[in-house]
């Protein structure tokens, strides 16, 4: 399964590149840091009632290509990304089939996720709630309110994947507001903690399988160490990569990084 999902990830990454080659703007680096997490959660074994909430809604391009591959939206609609009157906005919109919660106002997605997890708990649902949270997003106070509530309510049906790439909108997280020690803080709030390489499909799948097996009383935080702009040699982990997009001949280097031709960046 991991080998199959590796191929799916590659296909989705090329689709993400195509969106930004056409739009020339948006949060490319943010989409590339979380695509493995979304792939594992959507294409691995799952309950039909599972919910995945992309709290870092600016990574919406990754979610759009996933939903297109699932058939929730037509591939031809990807051509409208960031365009006039498009449904495919810069932030995750509930106008898109498969997205139940609009996100982008940082700190709100995890609050929605916590409320849904509580509802599932009350209804004795077996399905799980997954939330992808940005590391810079942790600077929002509402994140910590949600974390306190989830632990107090013993929401062991909820897993938060922290996209820990170290870069936020205006620079490095550690230089803007240091969030470390992340593991110790969430543990003190009452969460079970795991750490993985957020680009390792086998590691992500193993965590998800273990979480589904359950047995604990605590919600789960997975610190997924990722790289913003993953795979693009001149953008990866750079402090200014949040809204940066390749220009002109830089796309030739992107193609070399991903072993594709420039012609392959045209959306079919």
């Amino acid at each position: 399964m991991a080998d199959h999902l590796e191929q799916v990830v590659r296909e989705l990454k090329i689709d993400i590149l195509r969106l930004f080659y056409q739009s020339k703007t948006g949060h490319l680096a943010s989409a590339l840091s979380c695509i493995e997490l979304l792939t594992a959660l959507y294409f691995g074994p799952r309950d039909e009632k599972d919910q995945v909430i992309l709290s870092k809604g600016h990574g919406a391009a990754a979610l759009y290509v996933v939903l297109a591959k699932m058939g929730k939206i037509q591939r031809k609609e990807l051509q409208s990304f960031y365009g006039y009157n498009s449904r495919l906005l810069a932030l995750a919109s509930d106008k898109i089939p498969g997205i139940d919660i609009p996100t982008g106002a940082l700190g709100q997605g995890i609050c929605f996720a916590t409320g849904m997890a509580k509802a599932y708990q009350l209804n004795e649902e077996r399905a799980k709630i997954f939330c992808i949270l940005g590391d810079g997003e942790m600077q929002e106070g509402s994140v910590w309110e949600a974390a306190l509530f989830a632990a107090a309510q013993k929401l062991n049906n909820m897993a938060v994947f922290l996209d820990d790439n170290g870069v936020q909108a205006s620079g490095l997280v550690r230089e803007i507001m240091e969030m470390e020690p992340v593991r110790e803080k969430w543990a003190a709030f009452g969460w079970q903690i795991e750490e993985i390489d957020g680009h390792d499909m086998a590691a992500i799948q193993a965590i998800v399988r273990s979480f589904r097996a359950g047995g604990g009383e605590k919600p789960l935080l997975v610190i997924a160490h990722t790289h913003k702009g993953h795979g693009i040699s001149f953008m990866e982990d750079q402090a200014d990569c949040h809204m940066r997009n390749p220009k002109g001949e830089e796309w030739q280097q992107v193609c070399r990084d991903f072993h594709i031709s420039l012609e392959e960046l045209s959306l079919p």
Side-chain angles (χ1 to χ4, degrees):
M1 175 64 78
D3 289 344
H4 166 68
L5 290 187
E6 289 283 2
Q7 179 58 36
V8 172
V9 166
R10 174 169 172 76
E11 293 170 1
L12 293 174
K13 284 185 175 181
I14 302 306
D15 276 344
I16 289 171
L17 295 175
R18 287 169 176 149
L19 294 186
F20 291 92
Y21 181 65
Q22 176 174 287
S23 71
K24 303 295 189 291
T25 189
H27 302 84
L28 169 59
S30 297
L32 290 174
S33 72
C34 66
I35 187 60
E36 283 91 353
L37 297 174
L38 286 170
T39 300
L41 294 177
Y42 276 100
F43 295 102
R46 63 195 303 260
D47 188 288
E48 64 179 1
K49 286 191 175 182
D50 281 356
Q51 291 285 342
V52 179
I53 297 177
L54 183 65
S55 193
K56 48 164 280 182
H58 51 281
L63 189 51
Y64 296 153
V65 299
V66 165
L67 294 174
K69 190 167 186 63
M70 294 175 67
K72 297 287 187 181
I73 59 177
Q74 295 186 5
R75 279 191 61 83
K76 66 180 181 181
E77 187 170 2
L78 294 177
Q79 298 175 16
S80 71
F81 176 66
Y82 237 104
Y84 181 69
N85 279 341
S86 174
R87 297 194 301 174
L88 305 185
L89 307 175
L91 305 176
S93 169
D94 61 349
K95 295 179 180 179
I96 303 299
I99 301 179
D100 296 322
I101 303 296
T103 55
L106 297 177
Q108 290 190 359
I110 188 175
C111 296
F112 283 121
T114 304
M116 296 176 75
K118 181 61 182 177
Y120 275 25
Q121 181 193 67
L122 291 171
N123 293 335
E124 299 183 350
E125 296 278 2
R126 296 184 60 185
K128 306 294 185 181
I129 305 296
F130 299 93
C131 177
I132 297 178
L133 183 73
D135 51 357
E137 189 177 5
M138 284 192 295
Q139 295 163 4
E140 292 283 354
S142 53
V143 170
W144 300 100
E145 293 178 42
L148 280 170
F149 179 82
Q153 297 296 312
K154 294 181 169 46
L155 299 183
N156 63 346
N157 59 346
M158 176 180 179
V160 171
F161 284 79
L162 179 65
D163 185 356
D164 187 33
N165 59 47
V167 183
Q168 61 187 94
S170 51
L172 299 177
V173 173
R174 69 174 184 270
E175 295 178 351
I176 294 170
M177 187 181 294
E178 178 64 85
M179 298 308 300
E180 293 294 344
V182 172
R183 183 185 188 100
E184 288 80 358
K185 287 177 180 177
W186 284 78
F189 272 53
W191 286 60
Q192 176 186 342
I193 315 296
E194 299 287 350
E195 292 192 54
I196 60 171
D197 177 344
H199 299 297
D200 184 333
M201 291 304 301
I204 300 169
Q205 288 180 276
I207 285 286
V208 173
R209 283 195 299 270
S210 175
F211 173 66
R212 289 189 183 286
E217 293 187 350
K218 298 179 179 181
L220 172 66
L221 174 75
V222 181
I223 303 172
H225 299 291
T226 60
H227 299 281
K228 201 153 187 172
H230 186 236
I232 300 181
S233 56
F234 57 89
M235 284 177 56
E236 191 172 298
D237 298 330
Q238 297 302 303
D240 65 348
C241 72
H242 185 77
M243 277 289 288
R244 184 181 176 191
N245 282 273
K247 297 178 180 178
E249 293 184 358
E250 288 181 332
W251 280 107
Q252 296 284 0
Q253 181 58 52
V254 172
C255 290
R256 287 191 290 271
D257 290 337
F258 284 85
H259 306 290
I260 59 175
S261 66
L262 196 61
E263 289 73 24
E264 290 178 79
L265 290 179
S266 298
L267 278 164

